[in-house]
Amino acid sequence: MKQNESFWFDSARIYHLLIDRFNGGWQIPPKSENVFCGGTLQGVIEKLDYIKELGFNAVMLSPIFKSANYHGYHTLNFDEVDPHYGTWEDYQQLLDQAHDKGMRIICDFVPNHCWYQAPVFEASLLKNGGKHRDWFWYKNEDTDEFVSFLGFGDLPKFNLKNPEVADFMIDKAEKLARMGVDAFRIDHAMGQPFTFLKSLRESVHAVRSDIVVFGEVWACGVGPEMAGQLFFKTDTRLNEFLAQKTKPFSQDALQTDYTETLDGVLDFAYRDILLQEIRAGRGIKGNATLKSKIADHFAKYPEDFKLVLFLDNHDTDRFMFDCHDDVNLLQEAIELTTELSRPFSMLYGTEQLMTIDKTIVNAEPYADLRVRNCMDWRKEPMALKIK
């Protein structure tokens, strides 16, 4: 992709939301539980002006395909919008109305795995005839014991080395691109072959040259025992990953491996730099050490590689928790980040100062619910300084 075709993304101010937790017509938010709470695509449409008035020019939605769970990452059917959210007509309306307002829509795309009750997976089971058996990874060809995504036993992992599976996923992405999707966030990009990711990127670029494809490339919490499920650009990087218990694994090095494969990545390394300074008590404003670290970090990447900067997301602790509920520190972090002439993504609810009581890292099952509360529409948003 030529730089001038994706220039819009360099100044993207992205409001990142989970459809189910954003707006279902409530004022008092439903309790955050591991169930659908009622947020819809129409609810997002109704709040586009709200998002724009906050200073954002793009919206990144959680996955929209029919799913077994509220967050959308447990796909049941790649041809249907989840009925809890709405319909394809609702999705098209969202795209059209966002574009009419000068806003972009980013799709969270999940090619790595599906829910174990998805028809496409059930058809691969020996007990069901074993059609498309090679669309998934199995531990033994004589049984139906499948390889599950990072050990989550209800999420069979697609075999994206199979050209049929790659074509299947690319076809779904192309459909979204033709509808008007402006960018794709690729969930768990580490679990997908580089050849597939490159083909996906090239295919949606062929639909429209200004589409941006960026990946979630993050090794946090993934131990060496899962190396067989991951793809590395070089044996050196694989060996570094395997040795992570004795030597820290470099997030920066991992991200740079995707510079020739994707248009960009979510910049977890940038977030790590911010948190290191905050935890050391050095703060953000006027921190020369921080600015030097950031400059050194950016220098490791080609100028046209899209580093999507963020303070937190739906899989991390809320930034307000990290900065001990210091509102000034939050505002300083936002101001610094938006001054860096890179795309910036902010998790929904930050403007309401959403926080948590304890970390979700290495915590009990469903701990991530603490960072995925429903929006409280009784609250007035803080005055964000989004540049």
Side-chain angles (χ1 to χ4, degrees), residues 65-188:
F65 292 136
K66 186 176 181 180
S67 174
N69 215 324
Y70 73 92
H71 45 62
Y73 294 95
H74 295 171
T75 311
L76 276 165
N77 190 310
F78 289 87
D79 292 312
E80 297 179 38
V81 170
D82 193 284
H84 294 90
Y85 307 151
T87 64
W88 282 117
E89 289 73 21
D90 294 324
Y91 191 55
Q92 186 66 69
Q93 185 182 358
L94 172 60
L95 289 164
D96 294 343
Q97 291 204 22
H99 292 160
D100 287 345
K101 296 176 185 294
M103 303 174 73
R104 306 276 187 156
I105 296 295
I106 300 169
C107 172
D108 196 341
F109 194 62
V110 189
N112 178 75
H113 57 271
C114 66
W115 186 246
Y116 76 103
Q117 292 174 321
V120 68
F121 172 69
E122 289 188 325
S124 75
L125 296 170
L126 290 175
K127 65 181 182 181
N128 295 331
K131 182 182 179 183
H132 296 318
R133 178 80 170 174
D134 56 356
W135 278 43
F136 296 88
W137 297 102
Y138 280 91
K139 295 180 180 180
N140 188 315
E141 286 306 309
D142 298 327
T143 73
D144 280 337
E145 187 179 5
F146 59 87
V147 174
S148 58
F149 163 53
L150 298 183
F152 294 99
D154 43 19
L155 298 175
K157 183 176 173 64
F158 279 105
N159 175 13
L160 287 163
K161 295 179 75 173
N162 181 335
E164 289 184 357
V165 183
D167 288 346
F168 173 85
M169 289 299 176
I170 290 171
D171 178 71
K172 307 310 174 189
E174 287 176 339
K175 174 184 177 179
L176 295 169
R178 287 191 294 270
M179 289 184 71
V181 165
D182 298 289
F184 290 85
R185 170 202 182 268
I186 308 302
D187 184 65
H188 187 57

Side-chain angles (χ1 to χ4, degrees), residues 6 10 17 30 82 139 215 273 313 324 335:
S6 59
D10 297 327
L17 62 86
D82 193 284
K139 295 180 180 180
I273 292 170
N313 67 25
H324 308 292
E335 288 185 34

Side-chain angles (χ1 to χ4, degrees), residues 256-280:
T256 58
D257 283 346
Y258 289 81
T259 57
E260 297 177 354
T261 303
L262 296 171
D263 297 316
V265 294
L266 284 160
D267 197 352
F268 285 89
Y270 172 78
R271 178 175 179 270
D272 289 343
I273 292 170
L274 282 184
L275 294 183
Q276 287 167 8
E277 293 301 295
I278 289 171
R279 289 166 181 165

